[in-house]
Amino acid sequence: MEGMIKSVVAIEWALFDKVQNCGGRAACQDDAKTFSIMRTSQFRAWSRELLESYKEDLLYAQAQGRNPLCEKYAYMMERTSPGEYQQIKDALLVPSLEALYLTDLICAAHVAWQEELAKRYPRLTGQGRPIRKEEDAPGVTSFETYLRGELLTYSVETLRLYAAYVDKCQKEKINLCEQVLRNTVLRYGYPSLEAAENHQVKRA
């Protein structure tokens, strides 16, 4: 699994490096370490089947000459920069009704998980994005809008696997957002979520 994660992150990083922003190259595009931590933490919370399907999506997109990481940010602009989005939307793939349905399903579960997490670790989660799309603003992209933008770049096959995985996690009372956050703080050297939260309290 770790080898698979490493290869997927390497593909993503190469694509991320080529994303062109309206205001020029973003600082995060020169921060490979943070990119690796964030993406590795996410993928370690996935099933191998889901990760393999997503890797196939990336390779297929590359073969078509597409950059799904660039497309991810473009989809987000529908809410964060609607005027600019109107100028580029015709260059994007139009998601199927099934893809839209599955995306909404997955987003709803993650928003609920993230809000549950915010109640338990308010200072730690407060370091990140606002949660709901209603909080989008120029220069501010919510957790929900960011996730939706990414999901819209996935194939229907990957979205089906993701939705099934979300359903499995819900039935087993597993908060997938908590898994990702735990993986993240461990990469930053904290022994637990509680330790990371307490550190934030001390810094405040």
Side-chain angles (χ1 to χ4, degrees):
M1 186 67 173
E2 287 301 309
M4 173 73 70
I5 290 172
K6 186 176 181 179
S7 67
V8 170
V9 172
I11 294 170
E12 282 197 329
W13 176 249
L15 292 169
F16 186 58
D17 183 61
K18 294 180 175 64
V19 173
Q20 296 185 6
N21 300 287
C22 296
R25 187 175 178 83
C28 56
Q29 288 179 279
D30 296 315
D31 189 355
K33 180 179 178 181
T34 298
F35 183 90
S36 177
I37 288 173
M38 295 302 176
R39 300 307 287 175
T40 298
S41 296
Q42 176 176 321
F43 298 142
R44 281 179 176 168
W46 285 13
S47 68
R48 184 178 184 87
E49 185 180 27
L50 174 56
L51 185 61
E52 287 176 342
S53 185
Y54 175 58
K55 182 178 181 179
E56 288 300 314
D57 290 349
L58 291 175
L59 294 175
Y60 180 71
Q62 281 186 310
Q64 289 188 313
R66 293 171 37 234
N67 186 333
L69 271 75
C70 185
E71 293 169 0
K72 171 173 74 173
Y73 294 105
Y75 283 123
M76 294 179 206
M77 290 169 63
E78 183 176 8
R79 289 196 55 83
T80 59
S81 302
E84 293 178 37
Y85 175 76
Q86 291 301 317
Q87 299 174 26
I88 63 172
K89 68 176 185 178
D90 291 339
L92 297 171
L93 296 177
V94 179
S96 67
L97 290 177
E98 183 181 4
L100 290 172
Y101 170 77
L102 292 170
T103 293
D104 287 345
L105 196 72
I106 296 166
C107 275
H110 279 75
V111 166
W113 280 328
Q114 192 69 7
E115 289 185 330
E116 175 191 333
L117 204 57
K119 293 177 182 177
R120 294 163 55 201
Y121 305 103
R123 292 186 181 273
L124 189 55
T125 57
Q127 303 298 312
R129 302 174 182 277
I131 298 174
R132 288 188 172 271
K133 62 185 179 183
E134 289 77 15
E135 299 173 271
D136 288 332
V140 179
T141 305
S142 66
F143 168 84
E144 182 177 8
T145 293
Y146 187 96
L147 176 60
R148 186 175 189 275
E150 179 166 327
L151 292 173
L152 289 176
T153 69
Y154 295 3
S155 67
V156 171
E157 290 76 13
T158 299
L159 289 171
R160 288 171 183 161
L161 289 171
Y162 204 156
Y165 188 58
V166 164
D167 183 61
K168 178 177 181 291
C169 288
Q170 289 175 321
K171 289 176 178 176
E172 295 178 2
K173 306 298 182 184
I174 295 172
N175 183 324
L176 201 52
C177 291
E178 181 177 355
Q179 298 274 339
V180 174
L181 186 59
R182 180 178 292 108
N183 291 340
T184 304
V185 300
L186 289 174
R187 288 291 302 274
Y188 278 108
Y190 296 103
S192 66
L193 284 169
E194 289 72 21
E197 175 73 5
N198 290 336
H199 182 73
Q200 299 302 319
V201 172
K202 289 177 183 178
R203 289 178 55 192

